[in-house]
Every structure is written in C-alpha cells, then in structure tokens.
Amino acid sequence: MATDKEKLMKGLNILALSFPFYFFGPAFYYWKGAPEMKEGHWWWAAIAIILMFTAVGLTIRALAIVLDAFFDE
C-alpha cells in the first residue's frame, strides 16, 4: 500500500494553515469581540466566531485529505 505524497503534503499544508486561526479567533474575541459586545457592537464577536469556525473547517478538510492520501485505492 503506497501513500500519495502529493495529497499528503496538500493536507499537511492546509492543516498548517488552520493553526493560526485556532489562536487568532479566541484572541480576537477576547481582545475586541467581548468588550465591544458590551457596547452593542456584535459584529466583532461574529468575525471572531467565523475565524474559529474557519479553523475547524480547514482542519476537517485537511484531515480528510490526509486520510485519503493514506487509504485511497
């Protein structure tokens, strides 16, 4: 059983791209989102939540590609 190295590297690159979103999303919410929500400006919190969902989505996509590289027939 051979591994498709091109797919594997594509998946790992997407996974590496998702890691900053895991840290920047909550940090942005703490820095800008939560204080602005107290004043009624909800869009900063929405942007932070979108960043967090982007991290999860990219991770799921990357893991699917990596698993496809290992187990594709």
Side-chain angles (χ1 to χ4, degrees):
M1 184 160 73
T3 302
D4 188 357
K5 291 182 172 71
E6 290 179 18
K7 277 188 181 179
L8 180 63
M9 287 309 299
K10 180 181 176 184
L12 291 177
N13 285 334
I14 294 172
L15 189 63
L17 179 69
S18 73
F19 280 130
F21 289 102
Y22 274 111
F23 298 109
F24 189 64
F28 189 71
Y29 181 78
Y30 178 76
W31 172 61
K32 194 75 172 162
E36 291 290 326
M37 277 193 62
K38 291 178 184 175
E39 297 177 10
H41 305 291
W42 57 270
W43 59 83
W44 292 109
I47 291 171
I49 291 169
I50 289 170
L51 289 173
M52 290 183 242
F53 277 122
T54 301
V56 173
L58 284 173
T59 301
I60 291 170
R61 179 70 180 136
L63 289 177
I65 292 172
V66 167
L67 288 174
D68 192 35
F70 282 126
F71 299 113
D72 194 26
E73 295 185 77

